[in-house]
Amino acid sequence: MYIHHWYGNSSTDPDSASWDYSVISIYDNNLDADGYKNDTNIKHTTTHEVGHSIGLAHTTDTYNKSTSLMTAGDEADRYINSPSAYDKNQLKSIWGN
């Protein structure tokens, strides 16, 4: 899986420059190899990666990890498929209301 951010016609790091659009690629073989190839995990992974594409990082706040869509890896609750109040507040801090 990877996210590719684009500024004009060249790839860019979203933390160092503005970007026009992003491409999210989720590979079926990776999901299968990691044992995540089912509807619940596909929805979670896709929504999580969309979160990255709009600027959200992994949740590091211990209090919010259990409910956040953006919790990383094995700590993630894969039944969470929509942003939590914490995730929404992170978005507001990036993009405003």
Side-chain angles (χ1 to χ4, degrees), residues 6-87:
W6 293 90
Y7 174 73
N9 287 325
S10 60
S11 178
T12 188
D13 176 355
D15 294 328
S16 65
S18 296
W19 43 275
D20 295 329
Y21 67 94
S22 64
V23 175
I24 301 168
S25 298
I26 298 175
Y27 296 104
D28 182 74
N29 60 327
N30 287 359
L31 290 169
D32 195 26
D34 294 338
Y36 294 136
K37 191 177 174 184
N38 62 52
D39 287 346
T40 300
N41 289 325
I42 292 169
K43 288 175 188 174
H44 172 82
T45 302
T46 303
T47 309
H48 175 96
E49 296 305 326
V50 168
H52 284 311
S53 78
I54 57 176
L56 292 176
H58 287 138
T59 301
T60 57
D61 182 283
T62 305
Y63 178 75
N64 290 296
K65 278 186 175 183
S66 65
T67 60
S68 175
L69 174 67
M70 297 308 297
T71 300
D74 292 335
E75 294 181 299
D77 178 345
R78 297 196 173 271
Y79 288 95
I80 297 173
N81 291 313
S82 60
S84 67
Y86 175 80
D87 298 327

